[in-house]
C-alpha cells in the first residue's frame, strides 16, 4: 500500500529555512505517511533547489506567486492527501500520529496550531490571536493545511494569486476545517525585523482590505513594500 500524502512546499530563496522544514517531515516518512515531496519554486537564485533535490524532492519551477506555486504543486501531486507547508515552518514532534488519525475523515481539512521559533510575550500573543482566528475558520498558510485530494478539487483548489491564497481556500472550506492537536512552528524573522505590532497590524489591515474587495495584485505590492 502506497503512502497517502503528497507534501507541497512553495519556496523562494529559502535555503536558510528549508532544511529545518524538511527535517521536521522525517517523522512522517518514518511513519509511512509521505508518498512524495514537491517543492514548487518561484525562481530562487540561491541553493533552495539543490537542497530540495538532496532531500529527494521533485522541484518544479514557475512564476513567483504563492497561490500559483501552490496550484502548480498540488496539480503535480499523486497522493490521496495533500499536506501544504511553508518552507519556514517546522512541524513539531508528535504531528504524525495526529495526521494519521485525521486520515479517517476525508470530508474535513485540518490545520495545525501555530507557534513561533521565538519566546516572549509578543510571540505568544500573536500566536494566540492566530489560533483564535483559526477557530473562526481562517487559518493562515503558516499553520499548514492537510486536505484530501478530492476535497481540494471539490472546493476549487488554490487560486493563482500572489497573496491571500490561504484565506481564499479557507473560505471555500467553511465548515470543513478542524484543528489538529499538533503544532506548526514558524519563523518569527519578519515580525522581529518589522516589529511585532507593526507586522500584526499590517496583516490585519491587508485582511480587511481583501475582504472589502481590494485588488489582490495591488494588495500584494503594498504588502511587500
Amino acid at each position: 500500500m502506497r503512502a497517502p500524502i503528497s507534501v507541497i512546499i512553495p519556496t523562494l530563496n529559502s535555503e536558510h529555512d528549508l532544511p529545518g522544514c524538511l527535517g521536521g517531515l522525517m517523522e512522517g516518512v518514518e511513519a509511512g505517511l509521505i508518498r512524495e515531496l514537491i517543492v514548487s519554486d518561484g525562481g530562487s537564485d540561491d541553493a533552495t533547489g539543490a537542497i530540495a533535490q538532496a532531500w529527494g524532492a521533485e522541484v518544479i519551477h514557475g512564476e513567483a506567486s504563492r497561490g500559483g506555486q501552490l496550484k502548480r504543486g498540488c496539480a503535480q501531486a499523486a497522493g490521496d492527501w495533500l499536506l501544504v507547508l511553508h518552507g519556514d515552518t517546522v512541524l513539531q514532534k508528535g504531528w504524525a500520529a495526529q495526521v494519521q488519525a485525521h486520515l479517517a475523515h476525508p470530508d474535513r481539512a485540518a490545520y495545525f496550531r501555530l507557534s513561533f521559533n521565538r519566546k516572549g510575550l509578543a510571540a505568544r500573543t500573536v500566536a494566540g490571536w492566530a489560533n483564535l482566528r483559526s477557530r473562526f475558520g481562517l487559518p493562515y498558510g503558516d499553520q499548514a493545511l492537510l486536505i484530501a485530494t478530492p476535497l481540494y478539487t471539490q472546493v476549487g483548489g488554490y487560486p493563482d494569486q500572489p497573496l491571500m491564497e490561504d484565506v481564499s481556500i479557507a473560505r471555500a472550506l467553511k465548515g470543513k476545517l478542524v484543528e489538529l492537536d499538533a503544532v506548526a512552528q514558524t519563523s518569527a524573522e519578519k515580525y522581529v525585523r518589522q516589529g511585532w505590532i507593526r507586522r500584526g497590524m499590517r496583516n490585519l489591515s491587508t485582511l480587511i482590505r481583501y475582504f472589502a474587495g481590494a485588488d489582490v495584485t495591488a494588495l500584494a505590492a503594498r504588502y511587500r513594500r
Side-chain angles (χ1 to χ4, degrees), residues 15 22 26 32 40 71 80 82 87 97 103 119 147 173 196 199 201 210-211 225:
E15 65 178 5
L22 299 178
M26 290 307 298
S40 184
K71 189 177 185 72
D80 297 328
L82 309 174
L103 298 185
K119 295 182 179 180
I147 184 169
L173 287 164
W196 287 91
R199 175 79 182 185
M201 293 303 295
Y210 179 69
F211 280 163
R225 274 204 299 268

Side-chain angles (χ1 to χ4, degrees), residues 175-208:
K176 298 180 180 180
L177 279 164
V178 297
E179 181 184 85
L180 295 177
D181 186 16
V183 175
Q185 185 181 86
T186 196
S187 171
E189 187 269 333
K190 291 177 183 176
Y191 283 92
V192 172
R193 178 162 41 88
Q194 298 175 14
W196 287 91
I197 294 176
R198 182 182 178 193
R199 175 79 182 185
M201 293 303 295
R202 193 177 189 184
N203 289 347
L204 180 58
S205 171
T206 303
L207 180 63
I208 292 170

Side-chain angles (χ1 to χ4, degrees), residues 22-157:
L22 299 178
L25 292 172
M26 290 307 298
E27 182 177 313
V29 173
E30 292 165 2
L33 290 174
I34 296 178
R35 173 175 179 164
E36 61 183 347
L37 172 61
I38 299 170
V39 169
S40 184
D41 192 67
S44 296
D45 57 12
D46 63 1
T48 295
I51 291 169
Q53 289 175 334
W55 281 80
E58 176 184 0
V59 182
I60 60 176
H61 302 276
E63 222 175 301
S65 167
R66 183 167 279 167
Q69 288 172 239
L70 289 175
K71 189 177 185 72
R72 290 190 294 272
C74 291
Q76 191 78 10
D80 297 328
W81 286 79
L82 309 174
L83 176 58
V84 180
L85 183 66
H86 286 184
D88 61 354
T89 296
V90 181
L91 302 184
Q92 299 298 286
K93 187 176 179 180
W95 70 267
Q98 297 301 314
V99 165
Q100 178 73 69
H102 183 79
L103 298 185
H105 306 283
D107 59 332
R108 296 285 184 270
Y111 62 89
F112 292 67
R113 290 198 314 275
L114 182 70
S115 74
F116 288 100
N117 62 352
R118 291 291 181 105
K119 295 182 179 180
L121 179 60
R124 291 196 303 272
T125 300
V126 173
W129 153 248
N131 292 323
L132 177 62
R133 182 200 64 234
S134 301
R135 294 185 185 109
F136 287 93
L138 276 180
Y140 282 177
D142 50 14
Q143 292 170 258
L145 180 69
L146 175 67
I147 184 169
T149 302
L151 180 57
Y152 174 83
T153 302
Q154 178 187 326
V155 300

